[in-house]
Amino acid sequence: MNKSLEFDELEQVYELIADAIDCAGQESEVLFLSKLCITLAHRVGDLQLVEDAIHIASDGQCTAHKAAPCPGNEKRGGTP
Amino acid sequence: MRPAGKQPLQSLYFDYPLFEFRQPPELHGGDMQHPVVIAGAGPVGLTAALALAQQGVASVVVEKKDTVNDGSRAICVSRHSFETLQQLGAVAAFLDKALGWTRGRCYYRDQLIHRLEMPHSEDERFLPMYNIQQQYIEQFLIDKTADYPDLIELRWQSEVSELKNSADGVSLGINTPEGSYSLRGNYLLAADGARSTVRELLGLRLQGDNLPGNYVIADVRMAHEFPTERRSFFESSGNPDATVLVHRQPDNIWRVDWQILPGDDPDDAVRENNVRERVAAILAMIGHEGEWELEWWSIYTANTLCLDNYRHGRVLFIGDSGHIVPIFGVRGLNNGIADAVNAAWKLACVLKRLAPASLLDSYSPERRGATIDVLRNAGKSSRFMTPPTRGYALMRKAVLELALTQEFTRPFADPRQVQPYNYEDSPLTTPEAGAGEFTSGPAPGAPLHNCRLDEDDYLLDHIGHSFTVLYFSIEARPSSELAALFAQLYQLDPACCILRITGAADQVNEDDVLVDASGRISRAYDAIAGTVYLVRPDRYVAGRWKSANPEEILAALRRALGGSKP
Ligand SMILES: Cc1cc2nc3c(=O)[nH]c(=O)nc-3n(C[C@H](O)[C@H](O)[C@H](O)COP(=O)(O)OP(=O)(O)OC[C@H]3O[C@@H](n4cnc5c(N)ncnc54)[C@H](O)[C@@H]3O)c2cc1C
């Protein structure tokens, strides 16, 4: 089972990501974050955990299948 | 569209036939009710006519045009469709012309990130995919209709313009160069394509989405050496913004597709000088330095649309008239062909009074199920090929960049090519009695697998045109119990083909016996002496039994013929 990081590990991750965002530069930071997300999701290996994380990170605004669709996303909702 | 100065049908490689209008009896007051009328002589309507004729059912095909499809549309035809063409006795011409393939390459920023390998083995007679232009497909099917002069009547320059769909038949208004007439049939197969008149006349609408994102599709002729493979390019140096696809076709014709970016004007994109410029850049990127000629081009928008119901009384929708799917994954024509054979065998059984009309109720759930499955996959591929929003574009870039070094995102680049649909949940399918009895082989609802028997000899070469019973036995004579069963099966379906599969090599001379000396079929079908597979006319397994149980087999055939559940 997956366990959460200890707080001091989380602190390290915080700084690692901050440095990596700076390293990527403003042009590429969004792309970097997207790559990071999908890599982490792949490693986590638990769809539910990932869905929950998306829910948390988007303040419950944009979770696929669960919340009201985001603009641009509603096209996927209808039939079929 | 063709280059400036060319006539509409002036092709670099294809001589368009001109089909004349011939006066039908109805134009002189003749009044007859045809068993089946087919609207549209596209690939799907023609396949339906051939499948009906093979079952001895006559049809009249009305087509508004006087020639085959103009310009190139479908090019990729799947193995499953080739197996259908084989069953229809039409595959030879296709094999002569088409270019078969099994592989693809996907490039991101000029680096190879994914090698597509489609499933293939020596048990297959046909390759996973073949490229052939739609006009050849139609031409070869039309040629084949000549084998059935009494059963297939092609009426060119005949446009459906009115329709009455009543409880005992359909009545159509047909416009021709020499006046209008009314044409009656017991059933109508609407094979009149994406802009179906029949659909409109019945007041029906396709439901679903027009996906954002357009492609320009161009065919060029050039002498270019590269194997027949699907090549896709994302963010290539020659065309950094647009996704590009390259396919080889017969006659030195190459299909080049490129994406039009959201901000670009589609009208601009299809202007000849712009098309030439893009093609030149793409050809430079793939390393083609020689001459090339532009044959034809068009613009394409991905749609995922279908009717809520494919059957309306005596009208069945087959092919693009009932569903429009994105081209990525090459499903339009391949699924249309599957619609045609599904509708044809059911209509044939109903018209020959082997089955109640309620058999036709299964057409829509089976084939609409296939469409929904296609839409699910095709929607995914389209969202990858033409990302609809910034979010999709970003995620695509993320997985493509990762794919340069990481294996786990490479499958995103897979085109999800068409797979035959499974009818496991169909009311016609009898589920296995004992779960887990079989560990391999096609389960009820799946299409038959091919199996190599010998040089140029495969299992599917021996399948019948109607129902087929595969029974595994070394006994030259069936037991009296089985003999009684076979007699009853023949009563239910006089055209059914009972094929005995034996390991004993001394029984080669009977034509209803397949010698499986190496035990290959038995292994592939997980069969023992006494195993039976009941196969529908469209090669789908209706039921299977590890050891034959006559009562259950009979009940399964009744069920596959639309009878009530046992
Ligand atoms: C650019 C492009 C590329 C494609 N590539 C592929 C591919 O690689 N693989 C694949 O599987 N699919 C592909 N498709 C889809 C494929 O072309 C279609 O799914 C296929 O042609 C459908 O066949 P059909 O017989 O249902 O319709 P159509 O081919 O459209 O034929 C319908 C026929 O009905 C006739 N008709 C229309 N109205 C009337 C009327 N009122 N009266 C009489 N006749 C009428 C028309 O003239 C036409 O001949 C592609 C499509 C496009 C546009």
Side-chain angles (χ1 to χ4, degrees), chain B residues 39-45 62-65 67 69 72-77 134 138 158-161 191-198 217 255 296 298-300 318-321 323 325 327 330-336:
Chain B
V44 175
V62 280
E63 165 59 54
K64 68 176 174 188
K65 292 192 320 235
T67 188
N69 171 63
S72 190
R73 287 166 70 199
I75 51 169
C76 302
V77 184
Q134 186 159 332
E138 294 178 15
S158 305
E159 179 174 9
V160 176
S161 60
D192 53 347
R195 297 206 179 90
S196 169
T197 310
V198 174
I217 293 190
R255 162 71 55 87
W296 174 90
S298 71
I299 192 162
Y300 166 81
I318 58 178
D320 279 12
S321 64
H323 48 77
V325 303
I327 46 177
V330 299
R331 296 171 172 86
L333 178 119
N334 290 302
N335 274 279

Side-chain angles (χ1 to χ4, degrees), chain A residues 55-72:
Chain A
H55 189 76
I56 293 168
S58 64
D59 286 335
Q61 295 292 301
C62 291
T63 307
H65 316 302
K66 281 185 185 154
C70 279

Side-chain angles (χ1 to χ4, degrees), chain B residues 53-208:
Chain B
Q54 201 170 44
Q55 310 262 3
V57 174
S59 63
V60 173
V61 185
V62 280
E63 165 59 54
K64 68 176 174 188
K65 292 192 320 235
D66 59 4
T67 188
V68 296
N69 171 63
D70 175 22
S72 190
R73 287 166 70 199
I75 51 169
C76 302
V77 184
S78 69
R79 171 189 288 143
H80 189 75
S81 296
F82 261 62
E83 289 169 351
T84 298
L85 293 169
Q86 180 192 28
Q87 212 183 354
L88 293 173
V91 82
F94 286 85
L95 281 174
D96 268 356
K97 190 78 203 176
L99 301 173
W101 55 281
T102 53
R103 312 174 92 185
R105 298 178 208 213
C106 172
Y107 301 84
Y108 175 63
R109 298 198 162 173
D110 305 336
Q111 286 190 59
L112 184 65
I113 55 165
H114 184 61
R115 201 90 177 77
L116 166 71
E117 286 282 349
M118 292 196 281
H120 191 51
S121 81
E122 59 170 344
D123 276 321
E124 301 294 353
R125 177 182 272 290
F126 302 112
L127 293 172
M129 202 66 79
Y130 291 87
N131 287 355
I132 180 170
Q133 293 93 329
Q134 186 159 332
Q135 40 274 53
Y136 283 117
I137 299 174
E138 294 178 15
Q139 178 71 65
F140 296 158
L141 293 172
I142 292 165
D143 292 348
K144 183 67 191 173
T145 62
D147 287 6
Y148 300 101
D150 301 330
L151 291 174
I152 302 179
E153 192 190 334
L154 298 180
R155 297 188 182 177
W156 300 97
Q157 305 183 42
S158 305
E159 179 174 9
V160 176
S161 60
E162 283 168 46
L163 170 64
K164 224 176 94 217
N165 182 13
S166 53
D168 54 355
V170 293
S171 171
L172 296 96
I174 307 293
N175 289 343
T176 78
E178 299 182 22
S180 310
Y181 64 89
S182 103
L183 174 66
R184 294 192 302 117
N186 286 335
Y187 288 94
L188 170 65
L189 291 176
D192 53 347
R195 297 206 179 90
S196 169
T197 310
V198 174
R199 196 177 67 219
E200 198 160 295
L201 292 171
L202 289 180
L204 303 171
R205 283 181 151 251
L206 296 172
Q207 307 290 333

